Amino acid sequence: MPWDRNQMAARAAEELEDGMYVNLGIGIPTLVANYVGDKDITLQSENGMLGMGPFPYEGEEDPDLINAGKQTITELPRTSYFDSATSFGMIRGGKIAAAILGAMEVDEKGDLANWMIPGKLVKGMGGAMDLVAGVGRVIVVMDHANKHGESKVLKECTLPLTGAGVVDMIITNLGVLEVVEGGLKILELADGVTEDEMRAATEATIV
Amino acid sequence: MKKVYGSAAEALDGLLFDGMQIAAGGFGLCGIPELLLQAIKEAGTKDLTFASNNAGVDDFGIGILLQTRQVKKMISSYVGENAEFMRQYLSGELELEFNPQGTLAERMRAGGAGIPGFYTKTGVGTQIAEGKEHKDFRGETYIMEEGIFADLSIVKAWKADTTGNAIFRKTARNFNPPAAMCGKVCVMEVEEIVEPGELDPDHIHLPGIYVHRLIQGEHEKRIEKVTTRPAA
């Protein structure tokens, strides 16, 4: 059985180490926070917060306290707040150990596309370009294929890039791939997924 | 040195002109200068260029100025929550310059700090880098981005004293300090104005030197996406 959203998030959480400052993107990456267990992880929200807490209970929402996805959240005893220039200073400056984010396409060179589809979806890159350019490690978590069944793990991205040569690891419903010299290396297969199935579902070169 | 004004309209008097560039604070609907935006709508100033991370939603924030066609151009990182914005952009009525969020924040900070340009890794190898100067430092390629020097800054803080020393609250700080810094004139709206000495000088987030005019008002503080967890 390929992994579901929660299993992909749980696998991504295994990549995090005690003491890390981490930025989680919207969608499946947000679920990673549920699987860090006993590890001491501090979550950054790029709109200006370190130490992001869980969603509030009903009635405790604060309009001055939101995450980068504009959802209401809460603070923790360790929380600090800062302005956007400082926030992206720590991102661009390499202080954030890892970013886990979704993607529309990834390719074998580690190029990432997740911000626009020309003529169709023009919402903007938000903080994604700064994150992939600046953080220590970029982990993409996404479905292996798009809704038309086509591979999202490509030889070369077709959509406008968010970053070139920035992705370190790709976690999909089929398994875990690492970006290495010459292509992608299979690190792990989801339970019941064979190497042949992974190769058949992947357009990129697997080394 | 009178900084406190009686209303948003009074505070903006003499500062607005057609075709001007305005830097606005806020992230989504959090920490936006909602009273000043409403006053700009009522003033009817046209052909505005806004440097602002987002464009509000259809009926709140900068969205209210899109409805009245007062905006010519947006410099933003994300505009996904505004249907009228998308319609005007796709029909060619509105110009849009996408900036990566950190690049936009730094362009404001740099402009306010007298830095006309800086180099960043963000966007190298993407369409954001097209036409920009590339330069290698320490074995890596960077692109040059320019500081923003706005005609006017409009920002929102939580509290300020009458000299403009300001404190923000939680994530409502966001773009407000860099936006405040990069304008020739900065007008700030706050929830509470206090006397000098009432705020701890060690806890000031934005010194009053950046704030020229100040108003106090009632804020709606609309929440864009109320998200909760189940009761324990």
Side-chain angles (χ1 to χ4, degrees):
Chain A
M1 279 285 286
W3 287 329
D4 64 20
R5 291 161 58 90
N6 285 300
Q7 288 170 309
M8 288 156 66
R11 180 59 188 80
E14 287 178 30
E15 295 300 313
L16 302 181
E17 294 165 24
D18 208 49
M20 274 186 172
Y21 291 86
V22 176
N23 184 294
L24 302 179
I26 294 166
I28 302 173
T30 304
L31 302 174
V32 173
N34 299 335
Y35 297 97
V36 295
D38 292 338
K39 284 184 280 199
D40 185 19
I41 302 293
T42 304
L43 298 178
Q44 198 233 23
S45 190
E46 68 264 25
N47 53 318
M49 178 184 199
L50 277 167
M52 180 167 52
F55 297 130
Y57 294 117
E58 197 179 330
E60 294 177 4
E61 307 90 345
D62 184 338
D64 289 336
L65 184 45
I66 64 169
N67 64 18
K70 283 122 187 169
Q71 298 168 306
T72 44
I73 48 165
T74 57
E75 63 185 22
L76 300 170
R78 71 174 60 182
T79 296
S80 59
Y81 298 110
F82 33 84
D83 68 67
S84 299
T86 305
S87 181
F88 283 91
M90 67 183 71
I91 289 168
R92 205 186 299 105
K95 314 302 179 188
I96 303 292
I100 301 177
L101 68 179
M104 296 172 186
E105 295 176 347
V106 184
D107 73 26
E108 63 191 47
K109 303 182 295 296
D111 292 359
L112 165 70
N114 72 353
W115 76 281
M116 88 178 282
I117 303 172
K120 277 190 188 166
L121 177 80
V122 193
K123 292 186 169 188
M125 72 291 284
M129 284 192 181
D130 310 274
L131 281 160
V132 300
V135 304
R137 204 151 167 256
V138 174
I139 300 167
V140 165
V141 182
M142 64 175 194
D143 283 324
H144 209 90
N146 65 22
K147 61 185 174 197
H148 307 296
E150 299 154 349
S151 182
K152 292 168 68 174
V153 186
L154 305 174
K155 288 188 185 306
E156 183 148 20
C157 289
T158 63
L159 296 169
L161 295 185
T162 307
V166 294
V167 177
D168 296 290
M169 177 179 274
I170 307 163
I171 299 172
T172 76
N173 49 322
L174 301 186
V176 183
L177 299 160
E178 188 181 18
V179 180
V180 296
E181 195 67 36
L184 305 178
K185 183 177 159 190
I186 301 173
L187 288 189
E188 196 176 324
L189 295 163
D191 293 337
V193 174
T194 67
E195 187 176 329
D196 283 349
E197 284 168 338
M198 172 66 100
R199 285 176 178 273
T202 307
E203 192 209 276
T205 308
I206 291 181
V207 297
Chain B
M1 186 188 59
K2 171 185 175 283
K3 291 193 179 181
V4 179
Y5 286 71
S7 70
E10 277 176 48
L12 290 169
D13 187 43
L15 300 179
L16 301 175
F17 58 92
D18 292 348
M20 71 188 303
Q21 186 182 27
I22 301 175
F27 180 93
L29 302 181
C30 181
I32 59 171
E34 54 182 90
L35 306 175
L36 293 162
L37 288 168
Q38 181 64 36
I40 291 171
K41 177 185 173 179
E42 284 155 19
T45 319
K46 294 190 297 289
D47 296 326
L48 300 172
T49 294
F50 268 97
S52 169
N53 189 55
N54 312 94
V57 294
D58 284 328
D59 63 343
F60 199 59
I62 291 174
I64 62 172
L65 300 175
L66 293 167
Q67 285 183 345
T68 50
R69 310 291 172 86
Q70 287 171 262
V71 183
K72 182 182 72 177
K73 179 178 175 181
M74 292 295 308
I75 303 171
S76 302
S77 85
Y78 190 84
V79 294
E81 320 296 344
N82 192 315
E84 176 61 15
F85 184 103
M86 206 52 61
R87 193 199 64 70
Q88 288 186 24
Y89 172 66
L90 293 173
S91 68
E93 296 165 55
L94 182 69
E95 288 176 57
L96 171 60
E97 177 187 326
F98 272 130
N99 278 193
Q101 193 173 140
T103 295
L104 179 59
E106 189 63 16
R107 289 185 66 195
M108 291 180 181
R109 196 201 69 81
I115 296 171
F118 59 92
Y119 293 92
T120 176
K121 266 192 297 192
T122 301
V124 171
T126 75
Q127 61 177 235
I128 294 302
E130 288 168 15
K132 289 176 182 161
E133 184 198 332
H134 287 58
K135 187 166 174 164
D136 287 0
F137 295 89
R138 300 181 303 153
E140 281 196 85
T141 303
Y142 294 73
I143 54 172
M144 194 188 74
E145 296 280 1
E146 295 188 9
I148 289 175
F149 298 84
D151 297 304
L152 173 69
S153 301
I154 56 170
V155 298
K156 192 251 169 193
W158 180 40
K159 288 182 185 182
D161 69 23
T162 55
T163 73
N165 290 320
I167 290 176
F168 301 87
R169 189 170 171 274
K170 303 184 188 285
T171 57
R173 193 181 322 182
N174 57 59
F175 275 83
N176 282 296
M181 292 164 68
C182 75
K184 282 193 197 100
V185 180
C186 172
V187 183
M188 174 183 278
E189 60 182 67
V190 299
E191 295 175 43
E192 187 181 356
I193 296 177
V194 300
E195 289 304 313
E198 289 188 47
L199 303 176
D200 184 337
D202 267 334
H203 293 172
I204 301 297
H205 296 136
L206 184 73
I209 192 169
Y210 294 110
V211 180
H212 303 94
R213 300 185 182 188
L214 190 59
I215 57 158
Q216 178 178 321
E218 291 293 316
H219 290 82
E220 176 185 337
K221 299 216 283 186
R222 192 183 295 184
I223 298 177
E224 203 161 330
K225 294 180 187 171
V226 174
T227 310
T228 57
R229 61 182 140 153

